[in-house]
Amino acid sequence: MSLTVYRKAHFNAAHRLYKEGWSDEKNLEVFGKCSNPKYHGHNYELEVGVSGVIDPETGFLMDFKILKDIIKEEIEDPFDHKNLNLEVAAFQNVNPTVENIAIEIWNRLRKRLHAKYDISVKLYETPRNFVVYNG
Amino acid sequence: MSLTVYRKAHFNAAHRLYKEGWSDEKNLEVFGKCSNPKYHGHNYELEVGVSGVIDPETGFLMDFKILKDIIKEEIEDPFDHKNLNLEVAAFQNVNPTVENIAIEIWNRLRKRLHAKYDISVKLYETPRNFVVYNG
Amino acid sequence: MSLTVYRKAHFNAAHRLYKEGWSDEKNLEVFGKCSNPKYHGHNYELEVGVSGVIDPETGFLMDFKILKDIIKEEIEDPFDHKNLNLEVAAFQNVNPTVENIAIEIWNRLRKRLHAKYDISVKLYETPRNFVVYNG
Amino acid sequence: MSLTVYRKAHFNAAHRLYKEGWSDEKNLEVFGKCSNPKYHGHNYELEVGVSGVIDPETGFLMDFKILKDIIKEEIEDPFDHKNLNLEVAAFQNVNPTVENIAIEIWNRLRKRLHAKYDISVKLYETPRNFVVYNG
Amino acid sequence: MSLTVYRKAHFNAAHRLYKEGWSDEKNLEVFGKCSNPKYHGHNYELEVGVSGVIDPETGFLMDFKILKDIIKEEIEDPFDHKNLNLEVAAFQNVNPTVENIAIEIWNRLRKRLHAKYDISVKLYETPRNFVVYNG
Amino acid sequence: MSLTVYRKAHFNAAHRLYKEGWSDEKNLEVFGKCSNPKYHGHNYELEVGVSGVIDPETGFLMDFKILKDIIKEEIEDPFDHKNLNLEVAAFQNVNPTVENIAIEIWNRLRKRLHAKYDISVKLYETPRNFVVYNG
């Protein structure tokens, strides 16, 4: 009886889209106003899905409380109220597009969740733009 | 041309998480405040998906009205404004976690919908915690 | 420069609508399925508004963090995952309709917030039924 | 690293459900109030998903701006504030059910997006009724 | 203890904005694509507020069930799946702008609700455009 | 027949909360993680309300299209994808709390809308924190 449980979380952060080695003109041409050197920001809304088999004893796939705490430790604490380009090591050399942020989130959760679980990450950058990454 | 139609529904119910045979301390340790013996409750929001082939004559996969009525008879009428532990037979010996409620809903719909359709059940226990079950 | 700041919160609780001294038939007639003696429940969504004057030094009407903590202490901790009829003293002799719950919330906040502030309480019992109370 | 990006869009349109060659009674019997000959309408909410591989240079799967513009040209401009039965050629002989509208949207996008991308279309006819079509 | 209870409802309808006596060019100039002679449509979302004093015996301002039924009889049944210009008498000579529809709704409810209640009508034409009318 | 029309808009921006003349420790103590010198950001969601009398000829209080354009020129264009502290002159010496941003928005709209209209501004900094300012 495979099933997926989902937990929502959120963090507010600043970022800019920028490729090192490109001129400012080239960055502006490709990334538009998202390349603003003084940064802009978003309320990122996150949905983490964990797929697996239900424990017949508890009726839990996994305890939502534990999942909530892992998301807090791995994602909310290090990302919330931060400048992603300047304060999250993963984005020193990786452009913090919503695609790359979703992959980074997936990688962080993968290290913390048992291999028996599959993981999916849905990340809203705005209410209109979002991505899904399943590894 | 396979496609999925979705219909939303909802019911408000009381429940507690509880495993018969465990001590109250053990139940509290595993289920936390959800094990409150005097119950708590939720507005459950349900999305039922039905996948199949479109009828070229009507342009319907299935009539939303019929799907709505089946959900009402099988889920809303028996679950709404009920105490799931005490008043729904399926949860007499099965812990009414959101995972187990989703499976029960899927099983009830499976009996009513033609075998040519695949069924998916998404069930929100809160706006932040939800599950998906596809059988 | 009067302005209102709002903070959202939520709690999940069981209740029933019931008037002591009325027969079961009378309770059922007036309160319908909400009078179920075995309880049902809701995800209550709460919006608290605080009106007043901005502190020119900080640019805050009041610190959202402080408001959040007061709501947690006064409302979420005592109401969340509780049976309102059985476990909240205010509803021992008062019917826990959404109207009466909103008034109880307002009264609790009134005691904790400075008299210079006006308070409004919006309380959703379901996404379709809600009330506003301003004292 | 396969991933899906999603973009939301919307259009407001009139339609009726109707099968040419059937009597008015038969249309009413099958399509109910949706067969009203004088039309009714909806705010259609659309989510387009595009799956593929991230460009390691930009960190984009595809530029959201380009996706937004394609959706505007192919869907919003021709469908918004239109009568689907009378003013969209695809629905001259095809019943504009939400299923058929989703398929038409998918077909239009398929012609504009590179074959390396997979496409999914989620279309809400109302907040309670929606479909997903993946080709 | 004055308080307001709110009930949500919805209806799907076709309309066009149009002033009799103006030329088609003038109608197009003033109302833009909303003047399309073949109609377009919306999912109208309605929130009705009723203000008054709580009945101390029941804890109700008014029974949500009664309010729901009045909204169904006065608004949903006559407006849902209709062409507002052609099928609702009130809009034969009155332009069915969201402003005028809100006023018509308010007038219909005013006749059905006791004079001791104040009424407010919030009407969404789209998720981005809405009005509030309090009489 | 006084009525209010509302239009939603949004902008994504970076900011920090900071009082010039206070030490970093004092700023951190008062503004917490919102004082991060490297900025964070939000998706600000804005609802502008305009109250007045309906034009009996058009049925409009004011044309939503004109209101939309004014909001774009006065708020979205200058604020979207900007660093509020560094790139919006109004916040050079004024702390960009959500309270102060709402007041600045109101002031900008006041200059553009006829004195016969009353204006209200609702501004969400996050889905959980928001303000209303009516001048």
Side-chain angles (χ1 to χ4, degrees):
Chain A
M1 289 200 301
S2 177
L3 185 145
T4 305
V5 296
Y6 293 88
R7 173 74 197 170
K8 288 196 188 178
H10 54 93
F11 56 92
N12 312 322
H15 81 149
R16 68 174 298 206
L17 300 188
Y18 171 74
K19 184 163 168 57
E20 183 108 24
W22 283 0
S23 66
D24 283 0
E25 290 72 23
K26 173 80 175 180
N27 270 293
L28 181 61
E29 182 196 321
V30 174
F31 298 121
K33 59 189 177 182
C34 298
S35 71
N36 180 357
K38 295 188 172 159
Y39 308 103
H40 64 283
H42 299 288
N43 301 330
Y44 291 92
E45 297 282 336
L46 173 64
E47 289 180 20
V48 173
V50 178
S51 300
V53 174
I54 296 181
D55 176 343
E57 196 158 50
T58 59
F60 281 168
L61 188 140
M62 76 174 285
D63 188 333
F64 275 114
K65 177 73 172 61
I66 294 172
L67 180 56
K68 179 186 175 184
D69 289 346
I70 291 174
I71 295 170
K72 183 174 186 301
E73 289 168 32
E74 295 296 329
I75 315 300
E76 291 181 316
D77 287 347
F79 287 13
D80 189 38
H81 283 76
K82 293 290 163 56
N83 184 310
L84 298 179
N85 301 68
L86 302 179
E87 298 181 291
V88 177
F91 302 117
Q92 301 276 317
N93 300 305
V94 170
N95 199 7
T97 58
V98 64
E99 292 94 328
N100 280 332
I101 302 171
I103 293 170
E104 174 65 16
I105 289 171
W106 191 92
N107 288 339
R108 287 175 179 236
L109 296 173
R110 184 67 285 171
K111 286 178 199 151
R112 288 293 301 277
L113 289 163
H114 194 286
K116 72 183 172 183
Y117 296 125
D118 288 327
I119 300 169
S120 72
V121 166
K122 185 185 235 182
L123 184 65
Y124 286 81
E125 190 169 74
T126 72
R128 298 146 204 89
N129 291 349
F130 58 103
V131 303
V132 171
Y133 181 63
N134 299 318
Chain B
M1 290 201 302
S2 176
L3 185 144
T4 306
V5 296
Y6 292 87
R7 174 75 197 169
K8 289 197 186 176
H10 54 93
F11 55 93
N12 312 321
H15 80 151
R16 69 173 298 206
L17 300 187
Y18 171 74
K19 183 163 172 55
E20 185 107 24
W22 283 0
S23 67
D24 284 359
E25 291 71 24
K26 174 79 173 179
N27 270 294
L28 181 62
E29 182 196 321
V30 174
F31 298 120
K33 58 189 178 181
C34 297
S35 70
N36 180 357
K38 296 188 172 159
Y39 308 102
H40 65 283
H42 299 288
N43 302 331
Y44 291 91
E45 299 281 338
L46 172 65
E47 289 179 20
V48 173
V50 179
S51 301
V53 174
I54 296 179
D55 175 342
E57 197 159 47
T58 58
F60 280 169
L61 188 141
M62 75 173 287
D63 188 334
F64 275 114
K65 177 72 173 61
I66 294 172
L67 180 55
K68 179 185 174 183
D69 289 346
I70 291 174
I71 296 170
K72 183 175 187 300
E73 288 169 32
E74 294 296 329
I75 315 301
E76 291 180 316
D77 286 347
F79 288 14
D80 190 38
H81 282 76
K82 294 288 164 54
N83 184 310
L84 299 178
N85 301 69
L86 301 179
E87 298 180 291
V88 177
F91 303 117
Q92 301 276 317
N93 300 306
V94 170
N95 200 5
T97 58
V98 64
E99 291 94 330
N100 280 333
I101 303 170
I103 292 169
E104 174 65 16
I105 289 172
W106 191 93
N107 289 339
R108 288 173 177 238
L109 296 174
R110 183 68 284 171
K111 286 177 199 152
R112 289 292 302 276
L113 289 164
H114 194 286
K116 70 182 173 182
Y117 296 125
D118 287 327
I119 300 169
S120 73
V121 166
K122 186 185 234 181
L123 184 65
Y124 287 81
E125 189 168 75
T126 72
R128 298 146 205 88
N129 289 352
F130 58 103
V131 303
V132 171
Y133 181 63
N134 299 318
Chain C
M1 290 199 300
S2 177
L3 185 145
T4 305
V5 296
Y6 293 88
R7 173 75 197 169
K8 290 196 185 176
H10 52 93
F11 56 92
N12 312 321
H15 80 153
R16 67 173 299 207
L17 300 188
Y18 172 74
K19 184 165 169 56
E20 186 106 25
W22 282 0
S23 67
D24 284 359
E25 291 71 24
K26 172 81 173 178
N27 270 294
L28 181 62
E29 182 196 323
V30 174
F31 299 121
K33 59 188 177 181
C34 297
S35 71
N36 181 356
K38 296 188 173 158
Y39 308 101
H40 65 283
H42 299 288
N43 302 330
Y44 291 91
E45 299 280 338
L46 172 64
E47 289 179 20
V48 173
V50 178
S51 301
V53 174
I54 296 181
D55 176 341
E57 195 159 49
T58 59
F60 280 169
L61 187 140
M62 76 173 286
D63 188 335
F64 276 113
K65 177 73 173 61
I66 293 171
L67 179 56
K68 179 185 174 183
D69 289 346
I70 290 173
I71 296 171
K72 183 175 187 300
E73 289 168 32
E74 294 296 329
I75 316 299
E76 291 181 316
D77 286 348
F79 287 14
D80 190 37
H81 282 77
K82 294 288 163 53
N83 184 310
L84 298 178
N85 301 69
L86 302 180
E87 299 181 290
V88 177
F91 303 116
Q92 301 277 315
N93 301 306
V94 170
N95 200 5
T97 58
V98 63
E99 290 94 330
N100 279 333
I101 303 171
I103 293 169
E104 173 65 16
I105 290 171
W106 191 92
N107 288 340
R108 287 174 178 237
L109 296 173
R110 184 67 285 168
K111 286 177 199 152
R112 289 292 302 276
L113 289 163
H114 194 286
K116 70 183 173 182
Y117 296 125
D118 288 328
I119 300 171
S120 73
V121 166
K122 184 185 236 182
L123 183 66
Y124 286 81
E125 190 169 74
T126 73
R128 299 145 205 90
N129 291 351
F130 58 101
V131 303
V132 171
Y133 182 61
N134 298 318
Chain D
M1 289 199 301
S2 178
L3 186 145
T4 305
V5 296
Y6 294 87
R7 173 76 197 169
K8 290 197 185 175
H10 53 92
F11 55 93
N12 311 321
H15 81 151
R16 68 173 298 206
L17 300 187
Y18 172 73
K19 183 163 169 57
E20 184 108 25
W22 281 1
S23 66
D24 284 1
E25 290 72 23
K26 173 80 174 180
N27 269 294
L28 181 62
E29 182 196 321
V30 175
F31 299 120
K33 60 188 176 181
C34 298
S35 71
N36 180 357
K38 295 189 173 158
Y39 308 101
H40 65 283
H42 299 288
N43 301 331
Y44 291 92
E45 298 281 336
L46 172 65
E47 289 180 18
V48 173
V50 178
S51 301
V53 175
I54 296 180
D55 176 342
E57 197 159 47
T58 59
F60 280 169
L61 188 141
M62 77 174 286
D63 188 334
F64 276 113
K65 177 73 172 61
I66 294 172
L67 180 55
K68 179 185 175 185
D69 289 346
I70 291 173
I71 296 170
K72 182 174 188 302
E73 289 168 32
E74 295 296 328
I75 315 303
E76 292 181 315
D77 287 347
F79 287 14
D80 190 38
H81 283 76
K82 293 288 163 55
N83 183 309
L84 298 178
N85 301 68
L86 301 180
E87 298 181 291
V88 177
F91 302 116
Q92 301 276 316
N93 301 305
V94 170
N95 200 6
T97 59
V98 64
E99 291 94 330
N100 280 332
I101 303 171
I103 292 170
E104 174 65 16
I105 289 172
W106 191 93
N107 288 340
R108 287 173 178 237
L109 296 174
R110 184 68 285 171
K111 287 178 198 150
R112 289 292 303 277
L113 288 163
H114 194 286
K116 71 183 173 184
Y117 296 125
D118 288 328
I119 301 170
S120 72
V121 166
K122 184 184 238 181
L123 184 66
Y124 287 82
E125 189 169 75
T126 72
R128 301 147 204 86
N129 290 351
F130 58 101
V131 303
V132 171
Y133 182 61
N134 299 317
Chain E
M1 288 200 300
S2 176
L3 185 145
T4 306
V5 296
Y6 294 87
R7 173 75 196 170
K8 289 196 186 178
H10 52 93
F11 56 92
N12 312 321
H15 80 151
R16 68 174 297 209
L17 300 188
Y18 171 74
K19 183 162 170 57
E20 185 108 23
W22 282 359
S23 66
D24 284 359
E25 291 71 26
K26 173 79 174 179
N27 270 293
L28 182 62
E29 182 195 322
V30 173
F31 299 121
K33 58 189 179 181
C34 297
S35 70
N36 180 358
K38 297 187 171 158
Y39 308 102
H40 65 283
H42 298 289
N43 301 330
Y44 291 92
E45 298 281 337
L46 173 64
E47 289 180 21
V48 174
V50 178
S51 300
V53 174
I54 296 180
D55 175 343
E57 196 159 49
T58 60
F60 280 169
L61 187 138
M62 77 173 284
D63 189 334
F64 276 113
K65 177 73 172 59
I66 294 171
L67 179 55
K68 179 185 174 183
D69 290 346
I70 291 174
I71 296 171
K72 182 175 187 301
E73 289 168 32
E74 295 296 329
I75 316 300
E76 291 181 316
D77 287 347
F79 287 13
D80 190 37
H81 283 75
K82 293 288 165 53
N83 183 308
L84 299 178
N85 301 69
L86 302 179
E87 299 181 291
V88 177
F91 303 116
Q92 301 275 316
N93 301 305
V94 170
N95 200 6
T97 59
V98 64
E99 291 94 330
N100 279 333
I101 303 171
I103 293 169
E104 173 66 16
I105 290 172
W106 191 92
N107 288 339
R108 288 173 177 237
L109 297 173
R110 183 69 284 171
K111 286 177 199 151
R112 290 291 302 276
L113 290 163
H114 194 287
K116 71 183 173 183
Y117 296 125
D118 287 326
I119 301 171
S120 72
V121 166
K122 184 186 235 181
L123 183 65
Y124 286 81
E125 188 169 75
T126 73
R128 297 146 206 90
N129 290 351
F130 59 102
V131 303
V132 171
Y133 181 62
N134 298 318
Chain F
M1 287 200 302
S2 177
L3 185 144
T4 306
V5 297
Y6 293 88
R7 172 76 197 171
K8 289 197 187 178
H10 54 93
F11 56 91
N12 312 321
H15 80 150
R16 68 173 299 206
L17 301 188
Y18 172 74
K19 184 164 169 56
E20 184 107 23
W22 282 0
S23 67
D24 284 0
E25 291 71 26
K26 174 79 173 178
N27 270 292
L28 182 62
E29 183 197 320
V30 175
F31 299 121
K33 58 188 178 181
C34 297
S35 72
N36 180 357
K38 296 188 172 158
Y39 308 103
H40 64 284
H42 299 287
N43 301 331
Y44 291 91
E45 299 280 338
L46 173 64
E47 289 180 20
V48 173
V50 179
S51 301
V53 175
I54 296 181
D55 175 344
E57 195 158 50
T58 60
F60 280 169
L61 188 139
M62 78 174 284
D63 188 333
F64 275 114
K65 176 73 172 60
I66 293 171
L67 180 56
K68 180 185 174 184
D69 289 346
I70 291 173
I71 296 170
K72 183 174 186 302
E73 288 168 33
E74 294 297 328
I75 316 301
E76 291 180 317
D77 287 347
F79 287 14
D80 189 38
H81 283 76
K82 292 290 162 54
N83 183 309
L84 299 178
N85 302 68
L86 302 180
E87 298 181 290
V88 176
F91 303 116
Q92 301 275 318
N93 300 306
V94 169
N95 200 7
T97 58
V98 64
E99 291 94 330
N100 279 332
I101 303 171
I103 293 169
E104 173 65 16
I105 290 171
W106 191 92
N107 288 339
R108 287 175 177 236
L109 296 173
R110 186 65 287 171
K111 287 178 198 150
R112 289 293 303 276
L113 289 163
H114 194 287
K116 69 183 173 183
Y117 296 126
D118 287 328
I119 300 170
S120 73
V121 166
K122 186 186 235 182
L123 183 65
Y124 286 80
E125 189 169 75
T126 72
R128 299 148 204 85
N129 291 351
F130 58 102
V131 304
V132 171
Y133 182 62
N134 299 319

